Amino acid sequence: MLEPSHNNELPAIPGKRYFTIGEVADLCAVKAHVLRYWEQEFPQLSPVKRRGNRRYYQRADVITIRQIRSLLYEQGYTIGGAKQKLSSHEVKDDTTHYKQLIRQMITELEEVLEVLNAPAK
């Protein structure tokens, strides 16, 4: 069953190098068990695994997960169809991908602007 998307706007991706599975679940509005399942289905997802088999995702992984989420939940693709679309590199031309990147850059630039406008200590 598809998860309803009450809010199509996902939170901005923080400027960190690595994210835990819980953080990625929150950033992408999916549950952790769904992420683990998608790792098995989509070869593009390969988080770094450290001691205790803990997963650490990078920014590119989060963007890929958001693309997968969009294909499955918003555009109505099946797992097989989403795999095919991702592997054929059509998603790179998808406007939703660019919109996410632009939103992320705007957020990061606003954060830089806040730092620059902060009163000097």
Side-chain angles (χ1 to χ4, degrees), residues 9-24:
E9 295 296 317
L10 295 173
I13 303 169
K16 293 171 51 175
R17 185 173 173 106
Y18 293 104
F19 302 90
T20 64
I21 193 167
E23 291 170 328
V24 175

Side-chain angles (χ1 to χ4, degrees), residues 63 67 70-71 74-75 85 89-103:
I63 291 170
Q67 289 174 339
S70 174
L71 289 170
E74 295 164 15
Q75 298 177 41
K85 186 144 175 118
H89 303 291
E90 289 177 37
V91 171
K92 291 183 179 174
D93 297 331
D94 198 341
T95 57
T96 57
H97 173 68
Y98 290 117
K99 286 179 184 176
Q100 288 175 350
L101 290 174
I102 290 169
R103 255 189 252 122

Side-chain angles (χ1 to χ4, degrees), residues 72-89:
L72 296 175
Y73 295 169
E74 295 164 15
Q75 298 177 41
Y77 281 82
T78 62
I79 294 277
K83 275 190 210 180
Q84 206 170 25
K85 186 144 175 118
L86 279 176
S87 65
S88 69
H89 303 291

Side-chain angles (χ1 to χ4, degrees), residues 2-50:
L2 297 180
E3 291 183 14
S5 80
H6 301 292
N7 182 5
N8 287 338
E9 295 296 317
L10 295 173
I13 303 169
K16 293 171 51 175
R17 185 173 173 106
Y18 293 104
F19 302 90
T20 64
I21 193 167
E23 291 170 328
V24 175
D26 291 340
L27 288 170
C28 298
V30 294
K31 299 196 186 262
H33 71 273
V34 173
L35 293 173
R36 288 189 290 271
Y37 173 71
W38 286 355
E39 284 175 30
Q40 296 172 350
E41 295 295 323
F42 296 93
Q44 295 88 344
L45 288 180
S46 56
V48 177
K49 289 190 181 175
R50 299 248 170 94

